[in-house]
Amino acid sequence: MSSIFRAIACVLLLGSCGGSGNFSAPRDLDNACSIVSERPEYLRAFRAAERRHGVPVPAMMAIIYQESKFIGNNRPPHRYALGVIPTGRQSSALGYSQALDGTWEEYQQRTGKRRARREDIDDAADFMGWYMNLTVEETGVPIYDTRNQYLAYHDGRTGFLRGTWRSKSWLIRIAGEVEARAIMYDQQLRACRKR
């Protein structure tokens, strides 16, 4: 009986160790070549989304960096009442893409991908491509306009069209940083492909 218990405990321990490591961030987030070398499954996911949706790999990488720092199970921080009593999270965002519950459910329904998970890089990349293409259709923002694509990603397409971002100087600054990071990642990826 005790050997069965030990075997079950060992399996559970090994299972929990393997799953948690998959969600950690790559070591050097400022180096696209290092990211895709350490996590080749990321590049496969980004390229598949690029083929399917036409969204540039560097733009997806820059947005994921901004949203989750490549942490697969990332969530927004908790809110606290009186500074100590947790009252829930700031939003329902989850995973690489930080998609909200309602937006993710819309993606699942409209694409038929009911089993898609926000913590899965393949699903997160496909979601981003899908979302950014809808941004093109609904707002006219070109797919290669990373700055405005990010503004629409952050504030939603309706918010973008209403101009909610215009009163958020911090968001305008961050959108510029996302654009700069996409340019940096693009240059790095071009260089590492030549090696």
Side-chain angles (χ1 to χ4, degrees):
M1 182 71 169
S2 65
S3 61
I4 292 173
F5 176 74
R6 274 185 259 158
I8 292 171
C10 187
V11 167
L12 291 174
L13 179 65
L14 289 173
S16 67
C17 290
S20 63
N22 294 339
F23 295 132
S24 65
R27 284 187 293 277
D28 186 358
L29 297 181
D30 291 330
N31 185 326
C33 297
S34 175
I35 292 169
V36 300
S37 174
E38 185 178 337
R39 305 282 169 84
E41 68 274 17
Y42 286 8
L43 187 58
R44 284 192 296 273
F46 296 140
R47 284 183 174 159
E50 183 179 53
R51 282 191 302 274
R52 194 173 303 118
H53 302 289
V55 177
V57 169
M60 285 184 279
M61 290 180 70
I63 292 172
I64 284 181
Y65 170 87
Q66 181 59 44
E67 292 296 294
S68 68
K69 301 296 187 275
F70 289 91
I71 298 170
N73 61 352
N74 201 356
R75 287 183 178 273
H78 284 283
R79 282 184 279 199
Y80 293 90
L82 306 173
V84 292
I85 303 167
T87 60
R89 297 197 182 268
Q90 292 176 359
S91 79
S92 64
L94 172 65
Y96 291 104
S97 63
Q98 290 294 281
L100 300 173
D101 287 351
T103 313
W104 189 260
E105 289 163 11
E106 178 190 358
Y107 163 73
Q108 289 177 307
Q109 289 169 357
R110 290 178 69 170
T111 62
K113 297 183 178 192
R114 299 265 182 215
R115 294 179 183 226
R117 294 176 36 250
R118 289 176 277 185
E119 303 96 328
D120 182 291
I121 191 63
D122 294 304
D123 295 333
D126 190 67
F127 165 81
M128 292 180 76
W130 169 84
Y131 190 92
M132 292 170 77
N133 263 307
L134 285 179
T135 298
V136 173
E137 290 175 23
E138 294 179 21
T139 69
V141 172
I143 202 76
Y144 288 96
D145 183 350
T146 304
R147 179 185 176 279
N148 285 307
Q149 279 281 348
Y150 181 72
L151 290 171
Y153 192 86
H154 186 277
D155 272 17
R157 294 180 297 273
T158 303
F160 177 81
L161 289 171
R162 283 198 319 250
T164 55
W165 53 273
R166 288 190 177 96
S167 62
K168 301 173 183 175
S169 58
W170 59 270
L171 179 57
I172 294 169
R173 176 183 51 79
I174 288 172
E177 291 172 6
V178 170
E179 180 179 46
R181 181 167 291 274
I183 292 167
M184 178 183 80
Y185 280 164
D186 184 49
Q187 292 168 344
Q188 291 170 341
L189 289 169
R190 289 174 192 273
C192 65
R193 285 182 193 135
K194 291 177 182 175
R195 291 184 207 151

